[in-house]
Amino acid sequence: MIYDCSGCGAALTFDPDSGKMKCSSCGKLYESYELEHFNREEEASALSGNRETGMPDRKISYPQGRGGSVRENAESFDEQMECYVYICTACGAEIYVNDVEVSTFCAYCGQPNVIFDRAGSARRPQYVIPFSVSQDQAVSLIRKRLSKGFFIPKEIRDFEIERVRGIYIPFWLYDIHCYDREYLKGVVGSGKYKRTYHYYREAEGDFRRITVDASIRLADESSQRLEPYDVSGLKEFRMEYLSGFYADNCDAMASLLNDDALYRAKRMFEAEIAKTVKAQDIQIIKQDPKHEIQKTEYAMFPAWFLTFRYQELPYTVLVNGQTGKLVAGLPYDKKKMHACTGILGSLFSVGGIAFSYAMMQSEGGWELVKAIIALFVLGAFALTIGLPIMDGVKTSTELTSLAQTNNYVKDRQGGD
Amino acid sequence: MILFLAIIFGCFIGFAVGFAVTAFLLSRSNDIGNSKGTAEDFSDTPIRMLDARNKISKSPF
Ligand SMILES: [Zn+2]
Ligand SMILES: [Zn+2]
């Protein structure tokens, strides 16, 4: 389906700046109701064949990741993906879409095509959060943030865009009622005054619209980092919001993700209970959790995916299309990193030496041994703080350069 | 002897702390948006306490 401009006939796309439909050629803005009105008219005047019903012309099987270079993601290499062929409503060229894509662009003429309801079998979302961050805004948000990163290499700050795609990601929203009673233990005080106490907590609570990504092809870790989406911005789903963007339908049914949602609710609820216990190292000894899904809803949420290359490897930065939150783990400038460690290390060493010297100014061998052990523990403690932080950065960087995410974006045709 | 040990341990502690601070600065610079939705994002009142007992001696269930 294509929304046409009544003035010039060009395609209308959803415009994040105005929140309205906008003509890609003459710039005329359309209110939603106008559009509904004249689409109904158009339907009545009965266009030919596939445009009307959204039925594909034919169905073929294709190895996933067509047209790409070497597949980095070996796991899905053997998977055959159903492909559907549509005819572009503007130029008549063939548009290939996989079995979850519901909105795309013609690879030849760039015409946006919403092919949502093929044969009426596709599940229709109840809600959508429309894009409110435009492509230009997303790119400038990324440039601005990257220029502020002291350790980000210059080549990355001045990145050249390989690809930008605005994609609606399918999500299931879960309402979950939680109940749990827990027998816990925790540590209070330190040193000589350290004590372990036991606690009992019985509580209930409700989570509304916990988000679980309904797309198998996108890593859950990536989609969760786009959170939070502000659900007060949920709009009733309308296909016009998809025009000018890419969109996937869900390929993971809610029933398959129930456990993920319940697990998430359980963990969050446990954390809330732990917050009410005034102790350290809190552990649950025994519990009796009863969590219940009360409602599931289906929605599409917007995200920008921007890919650039650094030392041959693709990196994909994500931007929440509603709030503008950025998600990226980036490689660092090793020289700067070493210089910083060296300079700070030397500075702290001066203090460290003075401190160590003072610690060891004690009478008797035994006191000295104790001082040495204490100093060693102190140094090791500092290391145990630094190492996990470095690990976290590494994990984020791997996530940003994940082949799976790159393919998720790369496999979409047109739009350039 | 003590001065020698002080230099060894002082540098060990100094560089360990320097590394930790650098790692922290690095994560602020390069690890962007590393957070997920929390309980507060999905509920205004995630928890209503029904019973709470502190410093108890054995499991009530
Ligand atoms: Zn126009
Ligand atoms: Zn075309």
Side-chain angles (χ1 to χ4, degrees):
Chain A
M1 172 187 292
I2 288 180
Y3 298 93
D4 294 330
C5 174
S6 58
C8 70
L12 302 182
T13 54
F14 180 75
D15 175 40
D17 291 327
S18 61
K20 292 174 182 170
M21 296 294 281
K22 187 179 180 181
C23 173
S24 51
S25 170
C26 73
K28 190 177 172 193
L29 291 171
Y30 287 82
E31 295 286 350
S32 237
Y33 67 89
E34 289 181 68
L35 210 64
E36 253 181 298
H37 183 64
F38 89 90
N39 267 322
R40 231 177 273 132
E41 269 175 25
E42 206 159 328
E43 255 168 70
S45 72
L47 278 162
S48 63
N50 56 42
R51 303 174 195 201
E52 183 63 7
T53 59
M55 285 284 280
D57 292 309
R58 56 201 152 88
K59 189 166 131 183
I60 51 173
S61 269
Y62 231 109
Q64 211 182 330
R66 65 202 174 269
S69 48
V70 185
R71 291 284 287 184
E72 292 139 297
N73 194 358
E75 249 176 85
S76 57
F77 186 72
D78 289 326
E79 255 176 57
Q80 292 283 310
M81 190 167 249
E82 300 266 45
C83 258
Y84 297 86
V85 183
Y86 288 82
I87 302 296
C88 172
T89 39
C91 74
E94 291 186 336
I95 300 174
Y96 295 86
V97 297
N98 66 37
D99 55 0
V100 293
E101 281 180 285
V102 290
S103 184
T104 187
F105 293 80
C106 171
Y108 301 94
C109 72
Q111 177 85 345
N113 277 268
V114 180
I115 38 184
F116 194 80
D117 205 1
R118 6 175 130 127
S121 62
R123 200 184 157 123
R124 200 185 159 93
Q126 284 141 291
Y127 302 105
V128 56
I129 294 178
F131 274 90
S132 45
V133 176
S134 69
Q135 178 166 327
D136 292 345
Q137 284 168 339
V139 173
S140 77
L141 277 173
I142 295 171
R143 289 215 185 272
K144 228 186 249 165
R145 175 60 183 80
L146 263 49
S147 70
K148 280 187 196 147
F150 178 73
F151 291 99
I152 299 173
K154 199 176 172 313
E155 297 97 295
I156 291 186
R157 292 188 202 194
D158 304 334
F159 67 87
E160 231 172 80
I161 301 171
E162 180 170 299
R163 204 173 287 109
V164 199
R165 297 283 185 262
I167 304 174
Y168 281 103
I169 306 168
F171 278 92
W172 290 107
L173 312 177
Y174 285 88
D175 287 3
I176 296 178
H177 178 75
C178 298
Y179 167 88
D180 199 0
R181 53 178 181 155
E182 294 179 0
Y183 179 53
L184 312 101
K185 72 172 180 186
V187 177
V188 177
S190 62
K192 265 186 247 175
Y193 304 101
K194 206 166 169 174
R195 294 279 182 282
T196 299
Y197 290 112
H198 290 80
Y199 304 84
Y200 176 69
R201 292 287 183 275
E202 185 179 355
E204 63 174 358
D206 289 284
F207 289 116
R208 182 134 167 78
R209 289 174 170 156
I210 293 179
T211 44
V212 179
D213 137 34
S215 172
I216 292 169
R217 301 183 70 210
L218 184 65
D220 290 353
E221 185 65 28
S222 298
S223 59
Q224 283 185 11
R225 288 188 182 198
L226 284 166
E227 294 171 354
Y229 280 96
D230 177 8
V231 290
S232 68
L234 281 181
K235 298 258 193 297
E236 223 172 283
F237 179 78
R238 265 207 269 256
M239 282 192 278
E240 63 192 61
Y241 290 125
L242 307 186
S243 183
F245 298 94
Y246 296 83
D248 281 357
N249 213 340
C250 59
D251 52 359
M253 282 299 128
S255 54
L256 288 174
L257 299 174
N258 284 353
D259 288 347
D260 292 357
L262 284 169
Y263 180 72
R264 221 175 153 197
K266 182 171 180 280
R267 295 301 300 270
M268 286 198 292
F269 197 64
E270 282 168 4
E272 288 301 306
I273 289 182
K275 273 189 207 164
T276 70
V277 176
K278 288 184 180 60
Q280 307 280 311
D281 297 326
I282 298 163
Q283 284 175 31
I284 300 169
I285 302 169
K286 218 171 148 187
Q287 69 182 137
D288 181 20
K290 293 187 180 78
H291 303 311
E292 206 181 306
I293 295 171
Q294 299 196 308
K295 196 158 110 192
T296 52
E297 293 162 311
Y298 176 29
M300 284 185 178
F301 290 173
W304 287 102
F305 292 71
L306 183 144
T307 306
F308 61 82
R309 263 171 209 275
Y310 174 64
Q311 297 179 345
E312 315 265 293
L313 213 61
Y315 289 87
T316 305
V317 180
L318 276 57
V319 184
N320 180 316
Q322 180 193 31
T323 65
K325 180 191 178 188
L326 302 193
V327 180
L330 300 167
Y332 52 85
D333 187 325
K334 293 215 167 51
K335 271 188 204 149
K336 272 190 179 173
M337 172 74 190
H338 294 154
C340 187
T341 313
I343 292 167
L344 288 178
S346 309
L347 284 175
F348 286 118
S349 291
V350 176
I353 292 167
F355 178 69
S356 306
Y357 192 71
M359 282 280 286
M360 288 190 264
Q361 290 302 310
S362 46
E363 307 292 315
W366 182 233
E367 290 294 313
L368 185 64
V369 172
K370 271 211 245 175
I372 287 173
I373 292 172
L375 289 170
F376 182 77
V377 169
L378 194 66
F381 178 69
L383 274 183
T384 61
I385 292 178
L387 288 172
I389 299 179
M390 287 301 289
D391 238 32
V393 175
K394 193 169 158 248
T395 308
S396 298
T397 307
E398 283 166 1
L399 197 65
T400 299
S401 59
L402 204 65
Q404 192 186 348
T405 314
N406 184 39
N407 291 331
Y408 183 77
V409 181
K410 192 176 72 184
D411 286 352
R412 284 158 216 278
Q413 56 191 323
D416 292 310
Chain B
M1 176 62 185
I2 283 188
L3 184 64
F4 174 71
L5 280 176
I7 289 171
I8 298 282
F9 280 102
C11 287
F12 174 56
I13 293 171
F15 276 92
V17 172
F19 171 70
V21 172
T22 307
F24 172 72
L25 293 175
L26 175 67
S27 72
R28 290 285 300 267
S29 156
N30 286 41
D31 194 356
I32 304 163
N34 182 358
S35 65
K36 296 174 185 180
T38 58
E40 283 75 30
D41 295 318
F42 301 117
S43 181
D44 304 327
T45 49
I47 189 165
R48 291 183 296 279
M49 201 55 70
L50 302 172
D51 190 3
R53 280 173 258 166
N54 296 328
K55 300 183 183 178
I56 54 176
S57 57
K58 70 174 182 41
S59 171
F61 69 100

